Amino acid sequence: MHEHSGEPHTSNRFYVAIAVILAVLTAMEVMVFYVEALRPILVPLLMLMMAAKFALVVMFFMHLKFDGPLLTGIFSWGLFIAVAIIVALMALFGKFSA
Amino acid sequence: MEGPTSTGIPHRKLAMWTFIGSECMLFGTLIATYMIYRGRNLVGPYPDELLNIPFITVTTFVLLMSSLMMVLALSAVQRGDAKGTRIWLFMTPLFGLIFLGGQYYEFNHFVHEGLPLSKNLFSSTFFVLTGTHGAHVAGGVLWLGTLWLRAMGGKLDARHTETVEIAGLYWHFVDVVWIVLFTLIYLLV
Amino acid sequence: MATAEAMARDHGGADHAGGTYAGGLWSWITTVDHKRIAILYFVTGFLFFLIAGIEGQLLRVQLARPDNRFLDPDLYNQLFTMHGTTMVFFAGMPLIVAFFNFVVPLQIGARDVAFPRLNAFSYWIFLFGGLFMYASVPLRAMPDGGWFAYMPLTNIEYSPGLGMDFYVLALLASGVGTIAGGVNFFVTILNMRAPGMTFMRMPLFTWMALIVSILILLAFPPFTVGLVFMMFDRMFGTHFFDAAAGADPVLWQHLFWVFGHPEVYILILPALGIVSDVIPAFSRKSLFGYPVVVFSGVLIAFLGFGVWVHHMFSVGLGPVVNAVFSGATMLIAIPTGIKIFNWIATMWGGQIRFTTPMLFAIGLVAMFTIGGLSGVMHSSPPSDLQQTDTYFVVAHFHYVLFGGLIFGLFSGFYYWFPKATGRLLSERLGKAHFWLTFVAFNLTFFPMHFSGLLGQPRRTFTYASGLGLDLFNLLSTIGAFLFTVAFVPLLLNLWRAWRRGEAAGPNPWDAPTLEWTTASPPPHYNFAVVPKVDRRDPLWHPYVAPGLGWAGELEPGGASPRLQPDHPPAPVHMPDPSYWPLVMAFGMGLMTVGALGSLALVLCGLAVTLVGLFGWAFEPPERGGH
């Protein structure tokens, strides 16, 4: 059983705040897509915002920030190897060469 | 069989996080394939002709909000708020269904625009990647719908927080995968 | 209502061989007991091993002399595909899971695994997958693209029959069970250790089980994805591997080997774990350098994800790519080699007993070293370019897989057989089995180093005379049939144990880990009293020769767990048997069959699967409740 009530990170208001941030980030992502002037930095900007949304959901909605390090380790390792494979395969298929 | 666990984490919660770690590899491989094959189509229709960003932005928003509803549902169960539990356990899969409806509409639209599953590289990678995600959403809708029915029958209370929490972990993960897919498929130019 | 005393008697467990495993067919179908599930896995896996062995012998008949026509090329291709696929997926993995199932809960002081019904489900879906694969035999549609199933050969254009569909679907089905097993053992080992059993006090075999579970969870998904791509290309006309559509068939190789290389570590680490328990037991000496052996296992698993391209050195990926993966491959030889030194150092200065398990373990150390040496030779791309696709590679992987995995499994079999059955096996017959196997194995596979370096290609149904290959092939074929002779003492031994085997008692080997505190076979609740652990090798006061070993292990004065009492002080609640895992696996089996071409059957199977899922989810909690 969790001891949950009363902590600031578990109030409904907190969750709604996170949801608002997620919505704003999504809107920003779409805006970046439509603004031509940002094209040169589109990819890094999008990656950043995507990562931010990802982290917010995992840390707060999935409560990982407040659970023990074991669960973070399990998730992080899965994520790390997955990203490494994505990057390695993309490199092997020439996606990072000019 | 359940009693104190060596890590202090309940079996099913540990199992769900472990499964999620494994699913990272599943979606990672699908995403890697999509990224490798981007831009290699020899015949159209091509992605930029078909992808409807405003439409998918709306469905993306719907799915994101469903995660909020899921957290509110868990919060309600933990507080013993039966009414809140029923409302949010209804809304979450409902929003999931709306998302799936959007996916179905999009798939249908693509097919009518000349992109059946077997058309080209984009059709192959797009439909299998988003289809796998959609299948996961559908499974989640089924799971949450079942929980909602149990709540309606008065069988879900504060003793069942673990069940709702674990369903929530699954649901949030499916949302998080979409966060990645939305950016990589629709916005990456 | 049963009285507490009567229930204690009920749960009193077996005090004679067969008691724990008595009960009719229904009790086996609905069992969720890890020990029974282990028996199911073992018997099934062993039967597939024999079948795959016969397939290998048929191949060897064909290759006994040049220009032979015992098998035509098509049948030859089907047989080597079935031989490899069966050995890896339907013999090797289930036998490993059999050992995980039986041994791990006992070694950590647990009463079962974390998810007993999921455990049963894993077995049933594996069985369906295996049966489905072999349904291709009477239909004369065995897959024929090799166990590695390279594209584009295996696409619908070049493999138009049902063969590769059997391959894809059987492996997808049984793969679900494997991944479920990975979750199950991972949670079990993390969460169900006896009080005081920290990670660094776990037996080595359990450590390897933990590492292998992680490998399964991370390596199987890419294979699942690749198989799905193959299925979609074959059945729905997608273009994942279609060069004409802009795709790259080499992607299949990448996806396969990103899985395939960790898979070979999944296959070998359990065997290395077994000998890491067996060698200390029969040297009367704790494992030398326990932390190093653990850490090397972790390192092998981690590095194992970074070497897959060494299966693709001849694909033409370029010198930079080849060099990177070559370096990583050489690196991985280090932790592997370290284990060898640790085993030797364990034996050094120990009181060695050359029992059958010990013979197989020492055999593994020697044979696996040979296999490792040829492996390191492959790690250099220029060298590999001559060796790849020749019998030199066949020699390598049979030395590591047979000389490694199979020898390790035999070692574990002889070691834990008394625990599982309560009977002793004959040492005489065991030694006969070992020596005959050892000779048969080396006679079969050592000549392949030579025929390989002379250029005999793999996966080719015949060879011409006058190339210098004749004698080597003949020797291999003789060796292959010597295996049949080697089985005779094993079968006689089993028969003898069944009829008049001596009672084994709890600890016939005077071994140091927790499974040896229970009766043989253990009662269905395993431990009457949950043991408390305060050291590694809890049943021993570790003997460490001066100057060797890790002095930090010595913990003077601690009490080691005694033998388990005959009966638990209070009734022990174990999970009830259940048929839902079988129902769900059956539903998935129907879907698998339906995928061959009947949507109706797929939907029917889905319905049964969902019924099974809901039945399982809503099954009343076991006696005593959560």
Side-chain angles (χ1 to χ4, degrees), chain C residues 543-566:
Chain C
Y543 161 76
V544 179
L548 297 173
W550 298 75
E553 287 177 357
L554 291 169
E555 292 172 49
S560 44
R562 303 235 159 67
L563 287 183
Q564 287 284 319
D566 280 345

Side-chain angles (χ1 to χ4, degrees), chain C residues 133-420:
Chain C
M133 178 68 101
Y134 273 84
S136 65
V137 177
L139 291 176
R140 299 167 147 262
M142 289 184 274
D144 61 353
W147 87 284
F148 43 84
Y150 277 10
M151 280 283 179
L153 174 64
T154 47
N155 73 16
I156 197 72
E157 182 185 357
Y158 299 115
S159 294
L162 284 177
M164 291 316 298
D165 297 314
F166 274 105
Y167 172 90
V168 165
L169 294 170
L171 292 179
L172 277 173
S174 48
V176 171
T178 307
I179 295 179
V183 174
N184 216 344
F185 284 103
F186 183 77
V187 174
T188 301
I189 295 171
L190 250 58
N191 255 2
M192 295 178 76
R193 288 165 286 132
M197 185 175 278
T198 61
F199 283 110
M200 296 308 270
R201 291 180 186 155
M202 296 194 313
L204 233 302
F205 180 68
T206 296
W207 251 115
M208 295 300 114
L210 177 63
I211 293 170
V212 166
S213 301
I214 297 171
L215 279 176
I216 286 173
L217 291 167
L218 295 175
F220 268 76
F223 189 41
T224 304
V225 170
L227 288 173
V228 167
F229 287 171
M230 179 182 279
M231 181 173 84
F232 270 70
D233 270 16
R234 287 180 60 84
M235 294 184 183
F236 304 120
T238 50
H239 303 279
F240 289 103
F241 305 114
D242 180 5
D248 192 343
V250 174
L251 178 64
W252 167 266
Q253 294 188 40
H254 283 293
L255 293 180
F256 184 81
W257 289 115
V258 165
F259 153 74
H261 196 81
E263 167 68 6
V264 312
Y265 290 117
I266 289 169
L267 289 172
I268 197 61
L269 285 176
L272 303 187
I274 291 175
V275 310
S276 299
D277 277 1
V278 166
I279 286 180
F282 296 103
S283 308
R284 286 204 200 284
K285 191 153 159 282
S286 289
L287 182 67
F288 183 91
Y290 172 101
V292 172
V293 179
V294 166
F295 186 64
S296 67
V298 172
L299 211 56
I300 289 171
F302 179 67
L303 289 176
F305 275 98
V307 302
W308 81 87
V309 173
H310 71 219
H311 300 271
M312 299 165 64
F313 280 149
S314 61
V315 169
L317 296 177
V320 173
V321 171
N322 283 357
V324 166
F325 283 90
S326 167
T329 307
M330 293 178 184
L331 211 57
I332 213 172
I334 296 175
T336 319
I338 280 175
K339 287 179 183 274
I340 307 274
F341 289 115
N342 277 281
W343 294 322
I344 295 174
T346 304
M347 291 191 278
W348 191 276
Q351 280 178 283
I352 303 191
R353 292 176 287 159
F354 290 100
T355 57
T356 310
M358 187 59 160
L359 286 174
F360 273 108
I362 296 175
L364 177 149
V365 176
M367 300 300 103
F368 184 69
T369 301
I370 296 175
L373 289 172
S374 55
V376 157
M377 289 168 71
H378 298 326
S379 71
S380 158
S383 165
D384 184 61
L385 283 178
Q386 176 172 12
Q387 299 156 11
T388 194
D389 267 350
T390 71
Y391 265 80
F392 194 80
V393 179
V394 179
H396 159 69
F397 67 70
H398 281 95
Y399 265 81
V400 289
L401 281 178
F402 198 113
L405 171 63
I406 301 296
F407 271 42
L409 291 177
F410 275 133
S411 176
F413 170 76
Y414 281 97
Y415 185 53
W416 282 302
F417 181 92
K419 175 56 57 183

Side-chain angles (χ1 to χ4, degrees), chain B residues 1-2 4-16 18-19 21-23 25-27 29-30 33-34 36-37 40-43 117-121 123-126 128-129 132 142 146 150, chain C residues 111-116 179 183 186-187 190-193 217-218 221-222 224-225 228-229 232 236-241 243-249 251 255 305 573-575 610 614 618 622 625-626:
Chain B
M1 285 299 293
E2 185 98 31
T5 61
S6 311
T7 60
I9 302 167
H11 287 337
R12 292 191 299 163
K13 181 169 175 178
L14 183 58
M16 180 52 76
T18 306
F19 176 66
S22 181
E23 290 266 272
M25 283 299 283
L26 187 87
F27 281 104
T29 311
L30 287 164
T33 305
Y34 183 86
I36 288 168
Y37 282 158
R40 290 173 65 135
N41 288 285
L42 297 179
V43 300
L117 174 62
S118 59
K119 188 68 201 265
N120 58 12
L121 219 46
S123 67
S124 309
T125 55
F126 176 81
V128 171
L129 173 56
T132 304
L142 195 63
T146 308
R150 287 181 69 73
Chain C
R111 294 213 160 98
D112 207 308
V113 295
F115 302 105
I179 295 179
V183 174
F186 183 77
V187 174
L190 250 58
N191 255 2
M192 295 178 76
R193 288 165 286 132
L217 291 167
L218 295 175
T224 304
V225 170
V228 167
F229 287 171
F232 270 70
F236 304 120
T238 50
H239 303 279
F240 289 103
F241 305 114
D248 192 343
L251 178 64
L255 293 180
F305 275 98
H573 301 293
M574 294 297 291
L610 287 174
F614 278 91
F618 292 115
E622 69 261 2
H626 287 296

